[in-house]
Amino acid sequence: MSSVPRLFQPAKVGNLKLSNRIVLATLTRFRANSAHFPTDFMVEYYKQRASYPGTLLISEVTYIAPQASGMPNASGIWSEDTPRRPGAGEPGLPVPFAFPIALSTIPNDVPRELTKDEIKQYVEWYGTAARNAVLGANGYLIDQFLQDVSNALTDEYGGSVENRTHSAPEIVDAVVAAVGPKRTAIRLSPFNGYQDMRMKNPVPHFTYVLEQFKQKHLDLAYIHTVTPNARLSAMPEDKLIALGVCRPGLHYKLWSSRTVITTGAYDRESALKVAEETDQFVSFGRPFLANPDLVYRLRENIPLNAPQEDTFYLPMNERGYTTRSQDSSSSRSYRRAGFERGGCQSIINYQLSGARHSGHVG
């Protein structure tokens, strides 16, 4: 039996060979320029977090088309050149949404409902974007179609569990057709309360969603799940027990023979425990933002830098993004081990906009 904790043992995701089971979670931080191009300090940001070789990095939100965007200074991948065009919610291009339901925080800002033809177009855009990049797939708009709190449609995309589930498999089909299942993944967050989401009982519905993927796409690279313990997903313990949900979680139980990445307020101790007991990968958001050498710090049990929340969403600003320090012993450790920096695997996370929001929480 290996003396190395499973969290730090080599593993594989799709066709990617990794040195550990720690993952950079998707973190949208608005550092792209006004034309949705990545900036030099975005390159530096990922370079810093690639300091521990063989670590999986999932990018921030990357929009698949101008019409599918909703946030300024988020990167886009709708063409090789990604020319500047108005994004959804900007002048001349109204906000799209699964159903015209306003957020409780901005009740007068009612989004525009997508037409059936537009839904089909968005599915095609996913395939086009997939051909432009290595990817991991998850999307706000997908979640809007899935959940009954945001989808009150009465056609084939709304109403029953089966109908609300139509769009997600269609999009995954398009991405798989473009780049193959081993380079395709999806992130699901049934317990997330952000943007007025979270069904009263998401368990039956998301169980059905995963069953659909199991029938058609057993060889997806991974399922990325946000646990009920995550920030903005927290639910009372008695509620979780009543729903039959607890760690290791709903998605792990349904996808346990395949790769699962779990996100949700993990620290070193809980990450070691879940990896050891379930073989899941564990992704970190805020700790990775504050600690570019997070994998090394977790491995060596070095205290972590605290996140600087006032810097999280500063458009085109390096402060708190590429200015956090690394432990001085980390680079010496890599050299002793014979590692070269920058040997990580990256996955582009592109998605449709949640459309109604003015920011992304991660």
Side-chain angles (χ1 to χ4, degrees), residues 61-65 68 77-78 118-143 145 167-179 183-187 348-354:
V61 56
T62 306
Y63 289 123
I64 63 172
I77 198 168
W78 48 80
E118 285 177 318
I119 294 170
K120 298 296 184 183
Q121 178 65 72
Y122 279 37
V123 171
E124 292 180 13
W125 284 334
Y126 259 95
T128 300
R131 284 185 285 271
N132 289 338
V134 180
L135 65 116
N138 80 77
Y140 284 158
L141 198 61
I142 297 174
D143 200 29
F145 277 105
S167 62
E170 286 178 350
I171 289 170
V172 171
D173 288 347
V175 173
V176 168
V179 298
R183 303 173 81 190
T184 304
I186 190 165
R187 172 168 165 157
I348 300 296
N349 168 47
Y350 63 86
Q351 56 185 284
L352 300 174
S353 170

Side-chain angles (χ1 to χ4, degrees), residues 114-347:
L114 287 172
T115 67
K116 294 179 188 177
D117 288 341
E118 285 177 318
I119 294 170
K120 298 296 184 183
Q121 178 65 72
Y122 279 37
V123 171
E124 292 180 13
W125 284 334
Y126 259 95
T128 300
R131 284 185 285 271
N132 289 338
V134 180
L135 65 116
N138 80 77
Y140 284 158
L141 198 61
I142 297 174
D143 200 29
Q144 293 165 16
F145 277 105
L146 288 176
Q147 298 207 39
D148 59 13
V149 295
S150 53
N151 181 353
L153 295 171
T154 57
D155 57 19
E156 64 266 37
Y157 287 98
S160 68
V161 170
E162 293 80 6
N163 285 358
R164 293 200 312 274
T165 306
H166 273 168
S167 62
E170 286 178 350
I171 289 170
V172 171
D173 288 347
V175 173
V176 168
V179 298
K182 295 294 185 182
R183 303 173 81 190
T184 304
I186 190 165
R187 172 168 165 157
L188 300 171
S189 53
F191 304 99
N192 177 41
Y194 183 49
Q195 294 197 113
D196 296 342
M197 301 300 284
R198 191 194 294 150
M199 303 165 64
K200 289 184 178 180
N201 184 1
V203 175
H205 182 66
F206 281 87
T207 297
Y208 179 82
V209 171
L210 284 179
E211 290 295 342
Q212 296 307 298
F213 288 137
K214 287 171 70 174
Q215 289 179 25
K216 297 186 65 176
H217 297 297
L218 273 174
D219 47 358
L220 291 179
Y222 61 82
I223 293 290
H224 191 176
T225 175
V226 181
T227 73
N229 309 82
R231 182 176 177 268
L232 297 183
S233 295
M235 297 180 71
E237 191 70 22
D238 58 345
K239 175 71 170 177
L240 293 175
I241 294 173
L243 294 177
V245 177
C246 58
R247 285 188 177 176
L250 168 66
H251 297 95
Y252 171 74
K253 294 175 182 177
L254 296 171
W255 206 260
S256 58
S257 61
R258 288 158 290 275
T259 303
V260 175
I261 298 175
T262 177
T263 300
Y266 286 99
D267 56 18
R268 183 179 188 273
E269 188 174 329
S270 59
L272 285 166
K273 186 175 187 293
V274 75
E276 207 68 41
E277 294 179 352
T278 69
D279 207 30
Q280 291 184 82
F281 289 70
V282 182
S283 72
F284 292 84
R286 293 167 176 235
F288 231 136
L289 183 65
N291 299 272
D293 56 346
L294 179 68
V295 182
Y296 175 77
R297 287 176 182 257
L298 292 176
R299 191 191 74 183
E300 301 300 320
N301 200 16
I302 296 171
L304 302 184
N305 298 323
Q308 296 176 323
E309 295 197 22
D310 63 332
T311 69
F312 281 1
Y313 307 108
L314 297 177
M316 297 184 64
N317 193 310
E318 296 180 69
R319 188 164 67 89
Y321 187 67
T322 57
T323 57
R324 303 310 302 269
S325 63
Q326 299 191 47
D327 187 86
S328 60
S329 60
S330 63
S331 59
R332 294 195 299 271
S333 173
Y334 304 140
R335 288 195 292 270
R336 286 197 303 270
F339 290 141
E340 295 291 335
R341 287 180 178 269
C344 293
Q345 303 285 357
S346 62
I347 286 181

Side-chain angles (χ1 to χ4, degrees), residues 35-48:
H36 302 289
F37 278 104
T39 54
D40 288 342
F41 44 85
M42 288 177 67
V43 175
E44 177 62 23
Y45 168 82
Y46 287 105
K47 181 180 177 182
Q48 290 177 359

